[in-house]
Amino acid sequence: MRTLSPLSVLRTDSTPFRRAGGADAEIDFLELLWERAQTSPGRLAATAFGLILLIVIAGVTAAQSMADRTRGLDTTLHRAEPLTNVTLTLYTELSIADAVTGAVFLSPGLESQEMRDRYDKAIAAASAATVQVASNLQSSQLQTIAEELPVYTRLVESAKVYNRAGKPVGAAYLSQASHLMQSVLLPAAERMHRDQIDALENAQGQQTQPPWGLTLLLMATLGCLVLAQLRLAKRSRRRFNPGLILASGCFAVLLLWFLVSSVLLVTLSGEGQSEGTDPLRTLTAARINVQQARTQETLQLLRRGDEDQLEQNYRSSMAAAHEQLGKLDSAQGEPGARKAAAAAVNAWTKTHEQLRKDLAAGMYGESVELAIGPGPDACAAQYRALDNALTSDIEHSRRTLRDSVAQARESLTALAPATVFLTLCAVAFVVAGYWPRLGEYRA
């Protein structure tokens, strides 16, 4: 009797191929292969091959899934979230530039150095934000801003020149510049910001979905390894097979690691969405509405005759901002920011009502003082207090979001390479477990 090598159980006799050729030879080969697979060593080899194939499929799928989720978290942390913030900065700085320009024409005499610096700083920040956004994406809104912003600045400079010369035509240039900002630049910036925060929210939503399919695949693979161990123990009348036990141990470690990491990922991503992305969307929308309300307020003093329509726009923007702030959970966000925002809204509303009364009574100078005056009871100071509270709350939501994403990213740091390593180990242990059993068959 001679001992066969483990692979010899799958060898076929070459006689049929010498007797026939072409399609008949292929049929004979498949028939012979099927006959050999029905034998005890053939079934054993087929089981080993099936286990190896299942382990490789499960391991590669898990490693690819973890790598994809890691890339998604990196994209959120290093691209989507910063880009969302840059688009908000772009809108804010454009709005500030327009508000400062309006305040210049409301102020008696020449513009102050402080106003000039604030305008120049806002335009420079808006230009820098435009360049930063352009380096990451291309959109029709961005192209519109890049084309129309220089037109706006030229109109403003012309308005300032004529205003310094005391010529009324400066107001016409200012009106044209303000119309361009309100009807073209700011709507384009707002749409771009909303598109980016939608993309951020979608990216976060994908990370909160548990990987049920992959979990079932890994559990099925581990179950097949255990069943193969029990079947082999029954066939060979041996209690344990070290190779299959080690292979099962590798996949048990992989499954446990995967489950723990997935739970952390889903939990942290959910917290990032509920305490970061969701309030961030609401807060940025509220801040945009507040800035629009402030613009409508100052325009009432510049565009005499359109006060009623501008007042309606102001009330609409403030109502939207108040509704958005009311949706926020008071337990979330930066402590004190919501109370500061509510106090600023109430104070601003009262001052604005007084401004409207003065304007209706023909007290234009008093209305201007209430609108842009330096005092703490003026609308300008109350608007800044509200904007600062919203800005602080937005930064808190950003930090919460980024911290959650970073922690979720850390939970996956070593899982993808560990999956590859444990998969290779499991394959090696399956081979080591079945090889001696195949070698036991004798011819």
Side-chain angles (χ1 to χ4, degrees):
M1 305 293 291
R2 71 186 169 85
T3 302
L4 298 179
S5 69
L7 293 181
S8 65
V9 298
L10 296 180
R11 290 177 182 167
T12 59
D13 190 358
S14 59
T15 302
F17 299 99
R18 290 193 295 266
R19 294 178 180 175
D24 293 337
E26 182 178 353
I27 294 174
D28 290 341
F29 171 76
L30 293 176
E31 290 178 351
L32 185 58
L33 187 62
W34 176 253
E35 291 177 0
R36 290 298 180 95
Q38 301 306 306
T39 63
S40 294
R43 286 195 295 269
L44 205 60
T47 301
F49 179 77
L51 284 176
I52 291 173
L53 183 61
L54 183 59
I55 288 171
V56 170
I57 291 175
V60 170
T61 304
Q64 183 64 43
S65 176
M66 293 302 100
D68 290 342
R69 284 183 174 257
T70 300
R71 283 193 295 270
L73 291 170
D74 286 338
T75 300
T76 299
L77 190 62
H78 302 298
R79 185 178 184 275
E81 191 283 326
L83 193 57
T84 300
N85 186 62
V86 171
T87 55
L88 177 62
T89 299
L90 175 58
Y91 181 94
T92 300
E93 296 300 334
L94 289 175
S95 181
I96 290 174
D98 197 43
V100 171
T101 302
V104 168
F105 279 77
L106 289 175
S107 303
L110 299 177
E111 61 180 321
S112 65
Q113 185 63 41
E114 179 184 1
M115 287 185 173
R116 187 180 300 113
D117 291 342
R118 285 178 61 193
Y119 171 81
D120 292 340
K121 183 179 179 181
I123 291 297
S127 300
T130 302
V131 173
Q132 191 172 352
V133 173
S135 64
N136 289 277
L137 62 87
Q138 294 294 326
S139 69
S140 58
Q141 292 86 5
L142 181 64
Q143 184 176 359
T144 298
I145 294 172
E147 292 175 352
E148 299 298 334
L149 184 56
V151 177
Y152 171 81
T153 56
R154 286 197 297 270
L155 289 172
V156 170
E157 292 306 317
S158 298
K160 288 181 178 180
V161 169
Y162 286 114
N163 187 52
R164 295 188 191 105
K167 297 182 178 180
V169 72
Y173 277 98
L174 175 64
S175 178
Q176 187 177 356
S178 181
H179 177 74
L180 178 63
M181 177 65 76
Q182 296 297 318
S183 62
V184 179
L185 290 170
L186 288 178
E190 184 179 0
R191 285 194 299 271
M192 188 164 58
H193 173 68
R194 288 180 177 175
D195 290 342
Q196 291 308 307
I197 205 165
D198 285 342
L200 176 62
E201 195 171 54
N202 291 335
Q204 279 292 100
Q206 292 176 0
Q207 299 297 337
T208 60
Q209 299 299 319
W212 297 116
L214 185 53
T215 302
L216 292 177
L217 178 59
L218 293 176
M219 293 178 66
T221 303
L222 179 58
C224 289
L225 284 169
V226 173
L227 290 176
Q229 163 70 20
L230 296 175
R231 183 177 181 183
L232 188 60
K234 181 179 179 181
R235 177 184 293 274
S236 61
R237 296 194 176 102
R238 292 182 176 89
R239 193 170 287 181
F240 301 110
N241 183 293
L244 290 181
I245 290 176
L246 290 173
S248 300
C250 287
F251 248 78
V253 171
L254 175 58
L255 178 60
L256 180 61
W257 194 344
F258 175 79
L259 289 175
V260 172
S261 297
S262 297
V263 169
L264 286 174
L265 173 63
V266 171
T267 301
L268 291 170
S269 297
E271 290 178 357
Q273 184 170 21
S274 62
E275 299 182 14
T277 309
D278 291 346
L280 185 63
R281 169 187 285 276
T282 304
L283 286 167
T284 54
R287 190 183 182 197
I288 288 174
N289 280 312
V290 166
Q291 291 175 334
Q292 290 175 347
R294 174 58 177 167
T295 300
Q296 300 301 320
E297 183 179 61
T298 55
L299 286 177
Q300 291 183 45
L301 302 172
L302 288 170
R303 298 181 184 175
R304 308 302 298 276
D306 293 336
E307 293 94 335
D308 292 339
Q309 181 60 46
L310 293 170
E311 175 64 16
Q312 183 178 349
N313 295 339
Y314 165 85
R315 292 181 181 276
S316 176
S317 297
M318 286 298 291
H322 189 270
E323 179 182 359
Q324 287 154 350
L325 292 176
K327 295 178 180 178
L328 297 170
D329 187 350
S330 58
Q332 298 175 349
E334 186 175 14
R338 305 281 165 79
K339 292 183 179 180
V345 167
N346 292 333
W348 185 12
T349 301
K350 292 178 181 178
T351 306
H352 179 80
E353 291 301 324
Q354 184 60 46
L355 182 152
R356 287 287 299 172
K357 292 178 181 178
D358 291 347
L359 192 61
M363 302 168 62
Y364 185 77
E366 288 78 358
S367 300
V368 170
E369 183 65 22
L370 283 177
I372 65 172
D377 295 331
C379 293
Q382 292 154 358
Y383 157 73
R384 284 194 297 270
L386 175 55
D387 190 65
N388 290 338
L390 293 175
T391 301
S392 180
D393 214 352
I394 287 172
E395 287 301 317
H396 183 274
S397 298
R398 286 191 65 208
R399 288 193 299 270
T400 301
L401 170 61
R402 294 184 63 82
D403 289 345
S404 298
V405 173
Q407 292 175 21
R409 174 66 176 83
E410 290 177 2
S411 70
L412 301 179
T413 300
L415 183 54
T419 300
V420 175
F421 174 75
L422 290 172
T423 299
L424 294 176
C425 288
V427 169
F429 288 137
V430 168
V431 173
Y434 275 95
W435 191 272
R437 304 289 79 79
L438 288 171
E440 292 174 354
Y441 289 88
R442 297 173 181 271

